[in-house]
Amino acid sequence: MNDINGEENTLYVCLGPTCKKNNNEKFSQALEKILQTKIDSPKDSDLIKLFTSSCMGQCSYGPNIKAGGKLYSKVDKDLLKRVLVTLTNKLKSNG
C-alpha cells in the first residue's frame, strides 16, 4: 500500500476495510484491465499509474479513490468512468 500524496498521473484505490467491503477490490481489477497495467506495479509507459492505498480516512463515504490529487468518495461505475475520462484527457492535453 502506498502514500496517497502522488503525482497528477496517479490513481489510488482505497483498500481500507470499509472500501474493500464496498467493492473497491472489483474496481481495482477493472482498472487493471481498462488501463492495461498491474496495480502497484506501474510501467514507465503507463499514462495513469495505478496503486492501492490503505484507509483514506473517509470510511463513511466509501468506496474511495484518489485520482490526480483529488479524493472521490461514494465511487460507483459511472463516477469511476468520469474520473478516468477526465484524468486521461487532462494528461493527454498536458503531455
Side-chain angles (χ1 to χ4, degrees):
M1 305 244 180
N2 295 281
D3 174 18
I4 63 170
N5 297 314
E7 306 84 34
E8 277 189 5
N9 67 331
T10 307
L11 191 151
Y12 295 94
V13 178
C14 181
L15 289 183
T18 302
C19 289
K20 202 171 190 178
K21 184 178 79 175
N22 287 319
N23 292 324
N24 254 12
E25 280 187 304
K26 287 184 181 181
F27 286 150
S28 61
Q29 292 167 357
L31 285 166
E32 283 183 323
K33 288 180 184 175
I34 293 166
L35 299 174
Q36 299 177 359
T37 190
K38 287 287 183 193
I39 199 161
D40 293 326
S41 299
K43 300 178 292 265
D44 289 339
S45 60
D46 291 342
L47 179 64
I48 298 172
K49 313 275 188 228
L50 182 61
F51 293 98
T52 56
S53 170
S54 57
C55 184
M56 294 180 177
Q58 298 295 315
C59 299
S60 328
Y61 307 106
N64 302 296
I65 62 170
K66 187 172 184 181
K70 183 176 178 185
L71 180 67
Y72 297 88
S73 298
K74 297 191 185 234
V75 177
D76 59 16
K77 285 191 310 187
D78 292 332
L79 178 55
L80 190 59
K81 281 182 192 176
R82 288 194 312 266
V83 168
L84 282 176
V85 167
T86 301
L87 186 58
T88 299
N89 290 340
K90 182 178 177 184
L91 292 169
K92 284 183 177 179
S93 70
N94 289 342

